[in-house]
């Protein structure tokens, strides 16, 4: 990631001064929830969902307000370096203003090449789908080799964004602790990721951000790395004790213990990896419930 000295050495003192002022302006405005914050949390959800689908998928490093000329978000893996500039305005053009977006994108590519960053690319993100299509159609030739345009909708609250954005819902569904989460649950998961992103101002991997979210709000996010062998975390004597409980049906899905019987059901509030669940297993083994009612009495 570029420092001001890197920019000065590569592009000269005037560009370095402009980049420093640009970054200061972005940082000072980054209070509360903003378009950039929502996009960062969305990208983290997307990355972690990809890891859930394929544990071999690379876990990218994510950093907001990253410095440089295209500085709203940087997502990097050993194979690629992606820079994003976000514009939540009705009118956006490539060449407008004292410091045109196209020039910033051109400078960013030169700077990334100077730093030998792998496969650098630049993306302009806008809130209007029609505007995105127009900008994509008119990408200047000087940056077309490394630039794309992305539409990311703007809504004033995280809940509304989740409700109105099916692609985000799909990513969050893979991260939830239940297999058929409600929209309320998805909104809660997104809110957790949003707060976790803000708690990593110096950047972190998407997986680390998800772990931070899970620690802050136990019982909402599935544990990582994803596996289908969660029942192996149940002690043998625990399973033996549950086997004699009349009417009890249980399973372990997404790292959480699910139980049902006689018209009632529930999910243990902490994952099977937690100390709370280990204590629950010990309590079941110790008390050896025989009826469903006795099992429920052991539940916290």
């Amino acid at each position: 990631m570029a420092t001001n000295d890197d920019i000065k050495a590569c592009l000269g003192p005037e560009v370095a001064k402009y980049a420093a002022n640009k970054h200061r302006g972005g940082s000072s405005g980054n209070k509360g929830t903003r378009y950039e914050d929502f996009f960062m949390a969305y990208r983290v959800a997307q990355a972690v969902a990809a890891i859930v689908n394929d544990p071999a998928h690379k876990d990218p490093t994510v950093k907001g307000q990253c410095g440089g000329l295209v500085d709203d978000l940087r997502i990097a893996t050993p194979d690629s370096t992606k820079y994003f500039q976000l514009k939540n305005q009705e009118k956006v053009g490539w060449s407008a203003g004292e410091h045109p977006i196209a020039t910033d994108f051109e400078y960013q590519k030169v700077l990334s090449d100077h730093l030998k960053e792998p496969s650098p690319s630049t993306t302009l993100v806008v809130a209007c789908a029609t505007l995105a299509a127009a900008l994509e159609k008119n990408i200047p030739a000087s940056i077309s080799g490394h630039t794309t345009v992305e539409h990311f909708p703007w809504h004033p609250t995280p809940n509304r964004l989740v409700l109105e954005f099916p692609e985000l819902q799909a990513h969050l569904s893979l991260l939830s602790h239940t297999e058929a989460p409600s929209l309320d649950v998805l909104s809660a998961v997104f809110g957790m990721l949003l707060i976790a992103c803000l708690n990593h101002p110096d950047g972190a991997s998407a997986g680390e951000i998800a772990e931070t979210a899970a620690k802050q709000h136990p019982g909402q996010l599935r544990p990582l790395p994803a596996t289908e062998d969660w029942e192996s975390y149940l002690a043998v004597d625990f399973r033996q004790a549950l086997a004699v409980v009349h009417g009890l049906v249980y399973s372990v899905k997404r790292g959480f213990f699910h139980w049902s019987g006689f018209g009632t059901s529930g999910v243990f509030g902490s994952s099977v990896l937690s100390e709370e669940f280990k204590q629950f297993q010990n309590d079941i083994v110790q008390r050896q419930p025989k009826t469903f009612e006795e099992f429920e009495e052991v539940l916290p």
Side-chain angles (χ1 to χ4, degrees), residues 28 41 49 56 73 93 101 166 192 232 249:
S28 64
L73 185 67
I101 295 172
M192 291 159 54
S232 65
V249 177

Side-chain angles (χ1 to χ4, degrees), residues 40-52 59-62 171-172 174-177 188-200 203-226 256:
M40 181 175 178
Y42 159 67
R43 279 290 182 161
V44 168
Q46 183 183 59
V48 179
I51 295 170
V52 169
D59 186 6
T61 299
V62 183
H171 298 324
L172 296 173
L174 286 174
L175 308 188
S176 170
H177 72 297
V189 171
F190 185 67
M192 291 159 54
L193 291 177
L194 179 61
I195 293 170
C197 286
L198 297 175
N199 284 337
H200 284 280
S205 76
E208 289 170 336
I209 293 171
E211 287 178 8
T212 296
K215 288 176 182 176
Q216 290 174 336
H217 303 275
Q220 295 292 318
L221 284 175
R222 69 189 302 167
L224 296 173
F256 284 81

